[in-house]
Short mmCIF file of all heavy atoms in Angstrom, two decimals:
data_model
loop_
_atom_site.label_atom_id
_atom_site.label_comp_id
_atom_site.label_asym_id
_atom_site.label_seq_id
_atom_site.Cartn_x
_atom_site.Cartn_y
_atom_site.Cartn_z
N ILE A 232 -2.34 -9.06 4.86
CA ILE A 232 -3.35 -9.99 4.40
C ILE A 232 -4.85 -9.47 4.78
O ILE A 232 -5.68 -9.44 3.94
CB ILE A 232 -3.16 -11.50 4.87
CG1 ILE A 232 -1.89 -11.96 4.21
CG2 ILE A 232 -4.33 -12.49 4.45
CD1 ILE A 232 -1.46 -13.41 4.73
N PRO A 233 -5.18 -9.41 6.11
CA PRO A 233 -6.45 -8.84 6.45
C PRO A 233 -6.58 -7.38 5.99
O PRO A 233 -7.75 -6.93 5.68
CB PRO A 233 -6.52 -8.99 7.91
CG PRO A 233 -5.16 -9.05 8.48
CD PRO A 233 -4.39 -9.66 7.29
N TYR A 234 -5.56 -6.60 6.10
CA TYR A 234 -5.76 -5.16 5.85
C TYR A 234 -6.04 -4.85 4.39
O TYR A 234 -7.15 -4.42 3.99
CB TYR A 234 -4.54 -4.39 6.36
CG TYR A 234 -4.53 -2.91 6.12
CD1 TYR A 234 -5.63 -2.28 6.72
CD2 TYR A 234 -3.69 -2.29 5.27
CE1 TYR A 234 -5.70 -0.79 6.52
CE2 TYR A 234 -3.81 -0.81 5.14
CZ TYR A 234 -4.79 -0.09 5.82
OH TYR A 234 -4.97 1.16 5.41
N VAL A 235 -5.06 -5.11 3.51
CA VAL A 235 -5.23 -4.91 2.15
C VAL A 235 -6.34 -5.76 1.57
O VAL A 235 -7.12 -5.46 0.67
CB VAL A 235 -3.89 -5.10 1.36
CG1 VAL A 235 -4.07 -4.81 -0.13
CG2 VAL A 235 -2.90 -4.05 1.91
N GLY A 236 -6.33 -7.09 1.97
CA GLY A 236 -7.26 -7.93 1.44
C GLY A 236 -8.78 -7.54 1.75
O GLY A 236 -9.59 -7.59 0.80
N LEU A 237 -9.00 -7.13 3.00
CA LEU A 237 -10.30 -6.73 3.41
C LEU A 237 -10.63 -5.43 2.70
O LEU A 237 -11.77 -5.07 2.32
CB LEU A 237 -10.53 -6.61 4.87
CG LEU A 237 -10.55 -7.85 5.57
CD1 LEU A 237 -10.36 -7.61 7.19
CD2 LEU A 237 -11.84 -8.55 5.37
N ASN A 238 -9.69 -4.49 2.52
CA ASN A 238 -9.87 -3.22 1.73
C ASN A 238 -10.45 -3.48 0.44
O ASN A 238 -11.57 -2.86 0.02
CB ASN A 238 -8.53 -2.39 1.72
CG ASN A 238 -8.22 -1.61 3.00
OD1 ASN A 238 -9.01 -1.53 3.83
ND2 ASN A 238 -6.97 -1.15 2.97
N PHE A 239 -9.81 -4.21 -0.33
CA PHE A 239 -10.30 -4.59 -1.73
C PHE A 239 -11.56 -5.39 -1.68
O PHE A 239 -12.47 -5.06 -2.40
CB PHE A 239 -9.20 -5.26 -2.48
CG PHE A 239 -8.01 -4.41 -3.15
CD1 PHE A 239 -6.87 -4.49 -2.61
CD2 PHE A 239 -8.40 -3.54 -4.05
CE1 PHE A 239 -5.87 -3.74 -3.07
CE2 PHE A 239 -7.37 -2.71 -4.63
CZ PHE A 239 -6.17 -2.73 -4.04
N ALA A 240 -11.57 -6.38 -0.88
CA ALA A 240 -12.84 -7.20 -0.79
C ALA A 240 -14.05 -6.49 -0.40
O ALA A 240 -15.11 -6.51 -1.07
CB ALA A 240 -12.57 -8.43 0.11
N VAL A 241 -14.01 -5.63 0.55
CA VAL A 241 -15.12 -4.86 1.11
C VAL A 241 -15.47 -3.77 0.08
O VAL A 241 -16.62 -3.61 -0.27
CB VAL A 241 -14.72 -4.20 2.46
CG1 VAL A 241 -16.03 -3.31 2.89
CG2 VAL A 241 -14.68 -5.32 3.48
N TYR A 242 -14.56 -3.12 -0.49
CA TYR A 242 -14.67 -2.05 -1.45
C TYR A 242 -15.42 -2.45 -2.70
O TYR A 242 -16.47 -2.02 -3.08
CB TYR A 242 -13.42 -1.37 -1.76
CG TYR A 242 -13.54 -0.24 -2.72
CD1 TYR A 242 -14.12 0.98 -2.48
CD2 TYR A 242 -13.11 -0.37 -4.15
CE1 TYR A 242 -14.28 2.05 -3.29
CE2 TYR A 242 -13.26 0.72 -5.00
CZ TYR A 242 -13.78 1.88 -4.65
OH TYR A 242 -13.93 2.88 -5.44
N GLU A 243 -14.87 -3.63 -3.27
CA GLU A 243 -15.53 -4.11 -4.58
C GLU A 243 -16.82 -4.82 -4.28
O GLU A 243 -17.75 -4.65 -5.11
CB GLU A 243 -14.48 -5.22 -5.13
CG GLU A 243 -13.25 -4.64 -5.72
CD GLU A 243 -13.29 -3.70 -6.87
OE1 GLU A 243 -14.38 -3.77 -7.53
OE2 GLU A 243 -12.49 -2.86 -7.11
N SER A 244 -16.90 -5.43 -3.13
CA SER A 244 -18.26 -6.08 -2.78
C SER A 244 -19.26 -5.04 -2.64
O SER A 244 -20.48 -5.22 -3.02
CB SER A 244 -18.11 -7.03 -1.65
OG SER A 244 -17.17 -8.07 -1.90
N LEU A 245 -19.01 -4.09 -1.87
CA LEU A 245 -19.95 -2.91 -1.71
C LEU A 245 -20.44 -2.21 -2.97
O LEU A 245 -21.58 -2.00 -3.12
CB LEU A 245 -19.34 -1.87 -0.69
CG LEU A 245 -19.46 -2.10 0.79
CD1 LEU A 245 -18.64 -1.00 1.51
CD2 LEU A 245 -20.85 -2.11 1.27
N LYS A 246 -19.44 -1.97 -3.90
CA LYS A 246 -19.78 -1.49 -5.19
C LYS A 246 -20.75 -2.25 -5.92
O LYS A 246 -21.75 -1.96 -6.47
CB LYS A 246 -18.56 -1.11 -5.96
CG LYS A 246 -17.71 0.03 -5.46
CD LYS A 246 -16.75 0.55 -6.59
CE LYS A 246 -15.85 -0.46 -7.10
NZ LYS A 246 -14.99 -0.07 -8.15
N ASP A 247 -20.38 -3.65 -5.99
CA ASP A 247 -21.26 -4.65 -6.72
C ASP A 247 -22.61 -4.62 -6.14
O ASP A 247 -23.61 -4.73 -6.80
CB ASP A 247 -20.67 -5.94 -6.65
CG ASP A 247 -19.49 -6.13 -7.67
OD1 ASP A 247 -19.27 -5.13 -8.43
OD2 ASP A 247 -18.75 -7.22 -7.64
N TRP A 248 -22.79 -4.64 -4.80
CA TRP A 248 -24.11 -4.64 -4.14
C TRP A 248 -24.76 -3.45 -4.46
O TRP A 248 -26.13 -3.61 -4.72
CB TRP A 248 -23.87 -4.84 -2.64
CG TRP A 248 -25.15 -4.84 -1.93
CD1 TRP A 248 -26.07 -5.82 -1.74
CD2 TRP A 248 -25.73 -3.63 -1.17
NE1 TRP A 248 -27.06 -5.39 -0.99
CE2 TRP A 248 -26.96 -4.16 -0.61
CE3 TRP A 248 -25.26 -2.34 -1.00
CZ2 TRP A 248 -27.91 -3.22 0.15
CZ3 TRP A 248 -26.12 -1.55 -0.18
CH2 TRP A 248 -27.32 -2.03 0.37
N LEU A 249 -24.21 -2.31 -4.38
CA LEU A 249 -24.92 -1.03 -4.77
C LEU A 249 -25.33 -0.94 -6.19
O LEU A 249 -26.44 -0.44 -6.57
CB LEU A 249 -24.03 0.20 -4.42
CG LEU A 249 -23.77 0.48 -2.94
CD1 LEU A 249 -22.76 1.50 -2.80
CD2 LEU A 249 -25.11 0.87 -2.32
N VAL A 250 -24.45 -1.52 -7.10
CA VAL A 250 -24.83 -1.45 -8.60
C VAL A 250 -26.17 -2.42 -8.79
O VAL A 250 -27.07 -2.03 -9.44
CB VAL A 250 -23.70 -2.12 -9.39
CG1 VAL A 250 -24.12 -2.43 -10.76
CG2 VAL A 250 -22.63 -1.09 -9.48
N LYS A 251 -26.12 -3.59 -8.18
CA LYS A 251 -27.24 -4.53 -8.37
C LYS A 251 -28.49 -3.97 -7.55
O LYS A 251 -29.68 -3.96 -8.15
CB LYS A 251 -26.87 -5.85 -7.80
CG LYS A 251 -25.85 -6.58 -8.58
CD LYS A 251 -25.37 -7.94 -7.92
CE LYS A 251 -24.31 -8.57 -8.73
NZ LYS A 251 -23.82 -9.82 -7.98
N ALA A 252 -28.38 -3.36 -6.47
CA ALA A 252 -29.41 -2.86 -5.62
C ALA A 252 -30.05 -1.70 -6.37
O ALA A 252 -31.38 -1.50 -6.21
CB ALA A 252 -28.99 -2.41 -4.25
N ASN A 253 -29.35 -0.87 -7.08
CA ASN A 253 -29.92 0.23 -7.72
C ASN A 253 -30.19 0.10 -9.27
O ASN A 253 -30.54 0.99 -9.94
CB ASN A 253 -28.97 1.52 -7.57
CG ASN A 253 -28.91 1.95 -6.21
OD1 ASN A 253 -29.77 2.61 -5.58
ND2 ASN A 253 -27.85 1.58 -5.42
N GLY A 254 -29.99 -1.20 -9.66
CA GLY A 254 -30.23 -1.47 -11.15
C GLY A 254 -29.42 -0.78 -12.11
O GLY A 254 -29.83 -0.41 -13.13
N LEU A 255 -28.08 -0.44 -11.75
CA LEU A 255 -27.17 0.29 -12.65
C LEU A 255 -26.52 -0.64 -13.64
O LEU A 255 -26.42 -1.84 -13.39
CB LEU A 255 -26.09 1.06 -11.75
CG LEU A 255 -26.68 1.94 -10.68
CD1 LEU A 255 -25.57 2.56 -9.88
CD2 LEU A 255 -27.54 3.03 -11.33
N ALA A 256 -26.01 -0.08 -14.75
CA ALA A 256 -25.33 -0.94 -15.70
C ALA A 256 -23.88 -1.32 -15.26
O ALA A 256 -23.42 -2.25 -15.74
CB ALA A 256 -25.25 -0.15 -17.03
N GLY A 257 -23.33 -0.56 -14.48
CA GLY A 257 -21.89 -0.87 -13.93
C GLY A 257 -21.51 0.17 -12.87
O GLY A 257 -22.21 1.05 -12.62
N ASP A 258 -20.37 -0.24 -12.19
CA ASP A 258 -19.91 0.65 -11.17
C ASP A 258 -19.49 2.04 -11.58
O ASP A 258 -19.25 2.96 -10.78
CB ASP A 258 -18.87 0.01 -10.34
CG ASP A 258 -17.64 -0.32 -11.14
OD1 ASP A 258 -17.41 0.17 -12.20
OD2 ASP A 258 -16.78 -1.10 -10.63
N SER A 259 -19.27 2.28 -12.92
CA SER A 259 -18.93 3.58 -13.37
C SER A 259 -20.00 4.60 -13.17
O SER A 259 -19.91 5.84 -13.23
CB SER A 259 -18.48 3.40 -14.93
OG SER A 259 -19.73 3.01 -15.65
N GLU A 260 -21.23 4.05 -12.95
CA GLU A 260 -22.38 5.01 -12.83
C GLU A 260 -22.58 5.46 -11.30
O GLU A 260 -23.36 6.22 -11.01
CB GLU A 260 -23.71 4.26 -13.23
CG GLU A 260 -23.78 3.97 -14.74
CD GLU A 260 -25.06 3.39 -15.19
OE1 GLU A 260 -25.97 3.64 -14.38
OE2 GLU A 260 -25.12 2.82 -16.19
N LEU A 261 -21.68 4.82 -10.42
CA LEU A 261 -21.79 5.23 -8.95
C LEU A 261 -21.13 6.65 -8.90
O LEU A 261 -20.11 6.97 -9.58
CB LEU A 261 -21.05 4.30 -8.19
CG LEU A 261 -21.67 2.91 -8.07
CD1 LEU A 261 -20.66 1.88 -7.29
CD2 LEU A 261 -22.89 2.92 -7.37
N SER A 262 -21.82 7.42 -8.06
CA SER A 262 -21.20 8.75 -7.78
C SER A 262 -19.86 8.72 -7.02
O SER A 262 -19.56 7.72 -6.34
CB SER A 262 -22.23 9.64 -7.05
OG SER A 262 -22.40 9.19 -5.66
N VAL A 263 -19.06 9.90 -7.03
CA VAL A 263 -17.88 9.99 -6.34
C VAL A 263 -18.19 9.78 -4.77
O VAL A 263 -17.32 9.17 -4.15
CB VAL A 263 -17.12 11.32 -6.63
CG1 VAL A 263 -15.98 11.48 -5.70
CG2 VAL A 263 -16.70 11.36 -8.11
N VAL A 264 -19.24 10.48 -4.35
CA VAL A 264 -19.54 10.39 -2.91
C VAL A 264 -19.74 8.93 -2.58
O VAL A 264 -19.38 8.45 -1.41
CB VAL A 264 -20.72 11.23 -2.60
CG1 VAL A 264 -21.21 11.01 -1.12
CG2 VAL A 264 -20.49 12.65 -2.80
#
Side-chain angles (χ1 to χ4, degrees):
I232 294 174
Y234 181 62
V235 178
L237 285 171
N238 279 348
F239 280 109
V241 173
Y242 181 70
E243 294 293 337
S244 298
L245 279 175
K246 285 199 306 177
D247 281 355
W248 177 77
L249 288 170
V250 167
K251 292 175 182 177
N253 293 282
L255 302 177
D258 59 14
S259 60
E260 295 186 19
L261 293 174
S262 68
V263 172
V264 174

